[in-house]
Amino acid sequence: MTDARTNAGSDPALEDIVADADTGGRQPKDTFGRRALWVLPLCWALYQLWIASPLPFVVGFVWNDTQTRAIHLGFAVLLAFLAFPGHKSAPRDRIPALTWVVALIAAAAASYLWWDYRGVANRTGAPNMTDIVIAGIGLVLLMEAARRSLGIPLMAVALFFLSYVFFGSWSGLPEVVQWKGASFEKAMSHMWLTTEGVFGVALGVSSGFVFLFVLFGALLNQAGAGNYFLQLAFAALGHLRGGPAKAAVIASAATGLISGSSIANVVTTGTFTIPLMKKVGFPATKAGAVEVSSSINGVLTPPVMGAVAFLMTEYVGISYVEVVKTAIVPAAISYVALVYIVHLEALKSGMKGSSRMHPVKFMLGAIFIIAISIVIAGGLLFLTGVVVDTIYGVFGGAAMSVLLALMFVAYLAAVRFAAKGPDLDTSLDSMQNLPPVREIFKTGIHYIMPILLLMYLLMIERKSPGLSAFWSTIAMLFILLTQNPLKAFFRGQGGVVQRFADGISDIAEGMIAGARNMIGLAAAMGVAGIIVGAVTLTGIGQVMAEFVEFLALGLDGLVPFMNIKLLAMLFFVAVISIVLGMGLPTTANYIVVSSLMAGVVVELGAQEGLIVPLVAVHMFVFYFGIMADVTPPVGLASFAAAAISKGDPLKTGFQAFFYSIRTALLPFLFIFNTDLLLIDVGPVQAVFVFIVALIAMLLFAAATMSYFIVPSRFYESIALLVAAFVLFQPGYILNQFAPEFETRPGSELFSMAQAAPDNASLRVRLMGENLNGEVVDARYLLPVGDAGEDGAARLLNGAGIEFRDEDGKIFVDNLSFGGPAEQLGIDWDWELVELDVPADRPPKEIFYLPALLLVLAVFLLQRRRQPKEEALA
């Protein structure tokens, strides 16, 4: 299967949208320019594979992280100037000489920390004039590269923060946001010559992890996996009521495995799904909106999550597996709910399908299939781990050779199985007359193998994301090289040598596509580093915290029994994410807003008695950043879908936003109910949480669509909303009558810490002054170490904190540098006022019963109004 641009067909408008958003709109006709845009991306991809491989360590030619980031950014800015025209009237069929000059200067400045690393390192803290000049040129040209590849908004945001760096002392600014300002030398040194700015965490993740995952997805797509997953979804769901729309949802989930771009998802699947949705009765606007809503959910789907999964591991300080675990339930709930929304839309429009499967049976079947798929995948990974351990135990040093031989045999068997049938037809017409699911499934089993390899390395072996993606990419290169020659051999056809040559060509095209897809993302990571650098240099994060708290303060206590202050703050963060996301890529938006606001949410939540895990806040920001791809008037995914459907882009965007309300609801829910993120939740409870949350989300979808069994009356929709809220938050009502916690005096700290079970946390209330002289009164969760030690030792080992007892009062005596307690913002000499322990009260789950009875009442009311023929369907 070809890349997204080829899938776009011959529609110039659609091709322009894809090129401008992802790969660059310049297509030189001269030989030199054409070869440059073929060779340079290929060299970038080869370089990324080289630094990810063990080979540099074998040959003793290793660059440090800062140098590899510099080369990575050098390639990105060079290609940004060459591949993206500077303005609308700039030539697209050639690369002007001046552009070449500027591009080479930009690449030289971006890679400065590579070619003069030792000199810069020796001058740390005392940069010379050359350092400062190159830093200034590099910063300007980096922002121009981002403008070309991503548009004006990201550059504008970076300029805003840079202005604050230089002019933050201006007397015209409100006193609360003023700071002393920075000299040009200090700012350039901080932004360009250290790892606090451009060459910081974000660019490190881009060069170390993200490029390889994007490359893996591009190669998988080049091999034909995108079309394979699409046809599987259509064969399984196309015969149902509104089947093409349901297939679009599932296909976008599969495409999310190999793409981190919602726009690429729209084009890859929408080229097929949108025309077929229109054919079965969906209006152009709704057909485009379904595809847009499905495609943004593709970015939510692990393992890639638009590169945010890897950034979270760095910013939150948890493992990649933990990030995937927190993301899986909200993503699955959102997808199943969207399938249900599509089904309700089909019912409201009176659509028919060749299958008359009852909607309840369909949803139960869908949930069952999802559960079985997860169990099978988990079982396969577990069994693979057992087999690998056994082989290592039996064969010792020869185990790797045995494993490679077994993988090769399994691959040969899968390709031989695929060769028994014809290759998949990639035309639009073929979607209307597909073979059975089993016939399609056997044609692409070998595509699933590298995905399982990736999951095995990440989940079972716990390898780093970069190393896991590297070996999975190597497996994809082997598949691209050999799948067609092997099929020809098994079918007894000739031309095997030519098919090997075609495989090499496919490899090159896939690597080039992956590299060109990374241009804008790498530039965005670099510019996001400017913003993060401004935050760390100026301390504006604390200013934002005070500003948000000031805005929310007036609303506190406005509504009884509700934490309006915290809700208002969350709403403010959501609005910032959406507004910035209208012009920033999802990943850059996540970096900016999480750097500014994540700590604010945690801090304000602690002051309000709500302990919000940092990963929950980061997921909140991520979800609302994605919503910006839908939100009018910018939503580029909506414009891409409208180009295919020939519908109105704004109407498509508004309709997609309406379909995506459930996605906007989830972040608020998992802030107040972290069970949805599977935080401190066991396997059995996780299944229960998923089922209950899924039922609640389906009820919410039915209420917002005003359709359950038949069109709902307003009071029925309200009843469904109430039931959904109670299922999502069963403890809310109980908290009004029976407090969740009861207090204990601080003097019981050490005895409670000693008696706590393994991997437990103590909920404590601390008071004291921060560095700004402000009084802090907040609650924190302090993890304790393994059992078997006294309370003081467990607190030190678990939370990195020591306390002292002064006349019965407990004070913070010492903090381990970088420990959990210090990261929570706790300071020396704060007093431990009290401890919170779970209160003895009825289980919150008892409120599920009245909620379900309310749903049953609505069901019975609507059942009376349901036509007999529908009731029998």
Side-chain angles (χ1 to χ4, degrees):
M1 182 176 174
T2 52
D3 65 13
R5 294 183 60 183
T6 304
N7 284 339
S10 58
D11 189 329
L14 189 57
E15 285 194 27
D16 287 345
I17 289 174
V18 177
D20 291 342
D22 287 331
T23 60
R26 183 172 277 137
Q27 299 294 321
K29 294 182 179 179
D30 62 287
T31 303
F32 183 77
R34 189 168 61 251
R35 287 181 178 175
L37 287 182
W38 193 91
V39 172
L40 288 172
L42 183 61
C43 290
W44 190 12
L46 290 172
Y47 160 74
Q48 294 291 158
L49 286 173
W50 166 262
I51 63 172
S53 73
L55 291 177
F57 298 93
V58 173
V59 300
F61 188 70
V62 181
W63 291 317
N64 61 40
D65 287 344
T66 303
Q67 290 176 299
T68 58
R69 294 173 190 181
I71 299 175
H72 177 80
L73 187 62
F75 271 115
V77 296
L78 175 63
L79 287 168
F81 280 96
L82 299 182
F84 290 84
H87 47 85
K88 289 184 178 180
S89 60
R92 289 173 172 253
D93 58 353
R94 61 183 177 85
I95 304 174
L98 180 60
T99 300
W100 270 109
V101 172
V102 176
L104 292 172
I105 292 173
S111 57
Y112 180 59
L113 290 182
W114 166 66
W115 54 268
D116 193 26
Y117 177 77
R118 290 189 178 277
V120 173
N122 291 334
R123 296 188 295 272
T124 299
N128 61 22
M129 183 57 66
T130 302
D131 295 337
I132 300 303
V133 170
I134 289 180
I137 293 172
L139 212 64
V140 171
L141 294 182
L142 171 60
M143 288 190 289
E144 169 60 13
R147 184 198 66 80
R148 285 170 174 252
S149 56
L150 300 165
I152 293 177
L154 181 58
M155 183 188 72
V157 173
L159 285 173
F160 172 80
F161 278 89
L162 280 176
S163 299
Y164 182 69
V165 168
F166 293 120
F167 307 112
S169 60
W170 180 46
S171 59
L173 290 174
E175 187 175 346
V176 69
V177 300
Q178 287 184 22
W179 85 293
K180 63 180 181 180
S183 66
F184 184 78
E185 177 180 328
K186 181 178 181 180
M188 292 304 100
S189 177
H190 185 83
M191 296 293 182
W192 203 260
L193 304 177
T194 71
T195 56
E196 295 294 324
V198 171
F199 298 95
V201 171
L203 196 63
V205 170
S206 178
S207 64
F209 307 151
V210 178
F211 190 103
L212 292 171
F213 275 86
V214 172
L215 181 60
F216 174 73
L219 293 172
L220 198 57
N221 195 48
Q222 185 73 26
N227 190 65
Y228 172 69
F229 291 135
L230 180 64
Q231 293 206 20
L232 269 180
F234 265 89
L237 302 174
H239 61 286
L240 300 174
R241 194 194 306 255
K246 294 170 182 173
V249 178
I250 303 303
S252 292
T255 307
L257 291 170
I258 59 178
S259 170
S261 166
S262 58
I263 299 168
N265 285 358
V266 168
V267 174
T268 302
T269 60
T271 305
F272 298 104
T273 60
I274 291 175
L276 293 176
M277 279 190 268
K278 291 173 66 178
K279 189 168 184 177
V280 298
F282 279 90
T285 298
K286 290 186 177 180
V290 168
E291 180 56 49
V292 171
S293 193
S294 305
S295 294
I296 66 164
N297 272 26
V299 184
L300 297 175
T301 308
V304 179
M305 296 165 59
V308 169
F310 314 116
L311 287 164
M312 277 191 196
T313 64
E314 301 294 328
Y315 288 140
V316 183
I318 60 178
S319 69
Y320 173 80
V321 175
E322 286 296 312
V323 172
V324 170
K325 188 180 79 170
T326 60
I328 192 67
V329 167
I333 290 173
S334 190
Y335 261 114
V336 176
L338 183 56
V339 172
Y340 184 55
I341 287 173
V342 167
H343 180 76
L344 294 178
E345 195 69 75
L347 286 175
K348 290 171 70 175
S349 301
M351 297 179 193
K352 303 294 182 183
S354 58
S355 170
R356 295 180 64 81
M357 183 183 292
H358 193 279
V360 175
K361 293 181 181 178
F362 170 73
M363 293 308 300
L364 290 176
I367 296 170
F368 177 76
I369 290 172
I370 291 173
I372 290 298
S373 300
I374 293 173
V375 170
I376 291 175
L380 284 174
L381 292 175
F382 175 76
L383 289 175
T384 303
V386 172
V387 170
V388 171
D389 290 341
T390 303
I391 291 174
Y392 269 101
V394 173
F395 294 97
M400 181 57 67
S401 299
V402 174
L403 286 173
L404 290 175
L406 289 175
M407 290 172 62
F408 181 68
V409 170
Y411 171 66
L412 285 179
V415 175
R416 187 174 187 276
F417 193 50
K420 291 181 178 180
D423 291 335
L424 294 178
D425 186 352
T426 60
S427 67
L428 178 60
D429 292 338
S430 69
M431 291 292 178
Q432 302 177 59
N433 189 25
L434 290 171
V437 174
R438 63 179 180 276
E439 295 297 322
I440 297 176
F441 177 73
K442 72 181 185 181
T443 65
I445 297 176
H446 55 293
Y447 297 141
I448 301 174
M449 294 177 66
I451 297 174
L452 288 177
L453 174 64
L454 177 63
M455 294 295 97
Y456 171 78
L457 292 173
L458 287 170
M459 303 295 184
I460 305 299
E461 291 289 336
R462 300 295 179 99
K463 301 293 185 184
S464 70
L467 193 60
S468 301
F470 169 76
W471 288 116
S472 302
T473 301
I474 295 299
M476 275 310 310
L477 293 175
F478 182 76
I479 289 174
L480 273 167
L481 179 65
T482 61
Q483 64 170 348
N484 290 327
L486 285 174
K487 285 181 182 179
F489 173 77
F490 289 130
R491 290 168 179 166
Q493 299 171 345
V496 173
V497 175
Q498 178 58 44
R499 293 175 192 270
F500 269 114
D502 293 340
I504 295 174
S505 177
D506 286 339
I507 287 174
E509 293 301 325
M511 295 178 78
I512 291 167
R516 292 192 65 161
N517 284 334
M518 269 299 300
I519 297 171
L521 186 54
M525 295 287 202
V527 175
I530 297 175
I531 299 166
V532 173
V535 172
T536 58
L537 182 62
T538 64
I540 194 175
Q542 184 60 40
V543 173
M544 289 294 293
E546 295 173 358
F547 178 65
V548 172
E549 188 172 357
F550 170 76
L551 290 179
L553 189 63
L555 299 174
D556 194 26
L558 186 64
V559 179
F561 313 124
M562 290 190 70
N563 196 332
I564 294 297
K565 182 178 178 181
L566 185 58
L567 280 174
M569 188 265 308
L570 289 172
F571 179 77
F572 185 72
V573 173
V575 170
I576 289 177
S577 298
I578 289 176
V579 171
L580 287 179
M582 287 182 180
L584 274 61
T586 300
T587 309
N589 183 31
Y590 161 76
I591 295 170
V592 173
V593 182
S594 63
S595 299
L596 285 172
M597 305 304 302
V600 180
V601 177
V602 173
E603 179 182 335
L604 187 55
Q607 293 174 10
E608 298 300 307
L610 178 68
I611 297 176
V612 183
L614 187 58
V615 67
V617 184
H618 280 256
M619 287 288 291
F620 182 96
V621 171
F622 174 45
Y623 265 61
F624 277 102
I626 287 175
M627 286 297 295
D629 281 347
V630 177
T631 310
V634 177
L636 292 179
S638 300
F639 279 84
I644 302 172
S645 69
K646 310 303 180 186
D648 182 274
L650 288 180
K651 290 182 180 179
T652 300
F654 281 113
Q655 186 66 50
F657 183 80
F658 175 72
Y659 287 155
S660 301
I661 288 176
R662 81 217 178 282
T663 305
L665 174 69
L666 277 169
F668 286 97
L669 294 172
F670 57 58
I671 286 289
F672 292 96
N673 182 7
T674 56
D675 287 353
L676 292 172
L677 299 179
L678 303 185
I679 296 175
D680 297 328
V681 171
V684 176
Q685 188 184 357
V687 174
F688 182 73
V689 166
F690 171 72
I691 292 173
V692 173
L694 180 58
I695 294 172
M697 184 55 74
L698 296 180
L699 294 175
F700 177 80
T704 55
M705 293 292 290
S706 299
Y707 199 107
F708 189 35
I709 298 175
V710 295
S712 299
R713 292 167 180 164
F714 77 94
Y715 56 84
E716 292 172 337
S717 294
I718 292 174
L720 292 176
L721 284 174
V722 171
F725 176 77
V726 174
L727 291 175
F728 271 126
Q729 283 283 80
Y732 175 78
I733 300 175
L734 184 60
N735 291 344
Q736 313 311 317
F737 305 101
E740 185 176 2
F741 298 99
E742 56 187 35
T743 61
R744 292 283 190 273
S747 57
E748 296 184 16
L749 170 68
F750 299 111
S751 59
M752 291 182 64
Q754 184 169 355
D758 285 340
N759 301 318
S761 296
L762 297 181
R763 181 183 167 101
V764 302
R765 178 186 170 200
L766 295 170
M767 290 183 63
E769 287 189 1
N770 61 19
L771 294 176
N772 297 323
E774 300 165 337
V775 176
V776 175
D777 183 354
R779 285 173 166 80
Y780 302 91
L781 280 180
L782 299 181
V784 295
D786 296 333
E789 299 178 313
D790 62 39
R794 294 189 69 186
L795 286 165
L796 178 61
N797 294 333
I801 189 170
E802 294 181 76
F803 291 91
R804 66 177 185 273
D805 189 336
E806 293 184 3
D807 300 325
K809 292 185 177 182
I810 307 298
F811 295 90
V812 176
D813 193 46
N814 195 18
L815 295 165
S816 299
F817 178 75
E822 188 194 43
Q823 292 182 5
L824 288 171
I826 298 172
D827 211 341
W828 280 270
D829 295 326
W830 285 11
E831 181 183 359
L832 193 153
V833 180
E834 61 191 19
L835 298 100
D836 293 335
V837 297
D840 184 14
R841 62 176 192 168
K844 62 184 179 181
E845 288 76 14
I846 62 173
F847 287 95
Y848 289 155
L849 182 59
L852 294 175
L853 288 175
L854 189 59
V855 175
L856 178 62
V858 175
F859 174 82
L860 294 175
L861 285 173
Q862 295 202 359
R863 185 76 170 179
R864 294 178 181 178
R865 305 199 305 271
Q866 186 180 23
K868 290 184 179 180
E869 61 273 14
E870 289 188 15
L872 295 174

